[in-house]
Amino acid sequence: HFIVGHPGDVSRPTDGLTVLHGGGTDIDEIFVRMGAAAGGGDFVVLRASGTDAYNPYIYELCGCDSVETIIFKNRQAAFDPFVISRIRNAEALWLAGGDQSNYVTYWKGTPVEDEINALAARRAPIGGTSAGTAVLGEFVYSAMSASSLTSSEGLSNPYHRDLTLDRDFLTLPKMRGLITDQHLEERDRIGRTVTFLARLVQDGWTDEARAIAADRETALLVDPDDGSAQVIS
């Protein structure tokens, strides 16, 4: 756990906002907008690898009382009372990039999942980049295999061993019926996104599959009330 700013909790009114970033270099405007939506409250970053490098970067942009990073190393941490309290008291939440299989493994069915969903229900801004974006839809490419699915693998075999899907995880407003993908053009993932959609319908998870797929250094900002969205890059 690492923090910059004031360690004590503040309580500020928030406006809902969902941010889906496709990966790569972060966009400054994202954190300006999230900070405003958070009312200048406490901003929490969750990740399962990396460092606290987000703290000074976001703090300079968001106008928040504090920015803190919690780095998970195992599932046990998702039951730690201190961790739960920091997420519960947040006014904004950011899920960093990395490996989304860790997020599913460490958080699904734990108090961390419950607290993220509670934040969304009370209209706190929530966003993610790359692996963080991957878990924000109702349906998730969980990346549970040893390698990431490619478009050619998925299109040639929609039941390829690397195509692992999950659901019943996070429940963000206006994200129902959606799966996300990232680094879209950069890593030639359009074909695999289409394969995700085909699997969701074929497996009976939904009758009308939809995807939000963003390229690197591109983000979609979604209003959780009316579903309107803005692309920024």
Side-chain angles (χ1 to χ4, degrees):
H1 175 256
F2 307 89
I3 187 168
V4 296
H6 303 102
D9 178 47
V10 298
S11 182
R12 303 281 171 80
T14 60
D15 289 321
L17 180 67
T18 302
V19 179
L20 307 169
H21 186 264
T25 304
D26 291 303
I27 302 169
D28 292 356
E29 185 181 349
I30 286 174
F31 302 104
V32 174
R33 298 274 290 271
M34 289 187 70
D42 297 315
F43 197 119
V44 173
V45 177
L46 303 183
R47 60 192 315 159
S49 61
T51 69
D52 63 339
Y54 263 126
N55 285 8
Y57 167 65
I58 295 176
Y59 191 67
E60 184 177 347
L61 294 168
C62 74
C64 291
D65 183 68
S66 69
V67 179
E68 59 193 293
T69 294
I70 300 170
I71 305 174
F72 289 76
K73 299 298 184 183
N74 52 55
R75 184 176 171 87
Q76 287 177 291
F79 295 87
D80 186 286
F82 174 79
V83 169
I84 301 311
S85 69
R86 302 310 295 189
I87 299 172
R88 178 177 298 147
N89 293 330
E91 277 73 44
L93 188 75
W94 182 253
L95 308 184
D99 182 346
Q100 64 259 37
S101 68
N102 287 327
Y103 296 159
V104 176
T105 300
Y106 293 169
W107 301 341
K108 187 175 180 182
T110 75
V112 166
E113 175 189 24
D114 295 339
E115 294 301 334
I116 296 174
N117 287 333
L119 283 179
R122 70 170 188 261
R123 293 175 48 82
I126 296 176
T129 183
S130 193
T133 292
V135 298
L136 295 182
E138 178 183 4
F139 307 119
V140 177
Y141 166 57
S142 55
M144 290 293 181
S145 62
S147 57
S148 182
L149 181 77
T150 66
S151 287
S152 59
E153 289 169 342
L155 290 170
S156 63
N157 178 11
Y159 287 88
H160 191 283
R161 66 178 182 277
D162 291 335
L163 206 171
T164 59
L165 299 174
D166 211 323
R167 59 179 170 175
D168 301 323
F169 185 27
L170 303 184
T171 55
L172 275 63
K174 304 303 181 183
M175 292 293 107
R176 285 190 60 82
L178 286 167
I179 192 166
T180 65
D181 209 354
Q182 310 77 38
H183 300 279
L184 187 68
E185 293 186 21
E186 174 200 8
R187 299 182 185 176
D188 189 25
R189 287 180 170 171
I190 295 175
R192 85 169 193 177
T193 305
V194 172
T195 307
F196 294 161
L197 296 175
R199 274 287 305 275
L200 293 175
V201 173
Q202 177 65 26
D203 292 358
W205 286 15
T206 181
D207 293 329
E208 185 180 4
R210 297 176 296 148
I212 295 175
D215 200 20
R216 64 176 288 122
E217 295 161 23
T218 306
L220 190 70
L221 278 58
V222 181
D223 185 312
D225 292 327
D226 61 18
S228 61
Q230 177 187 5
V231 176
I232 62 172
S233 59

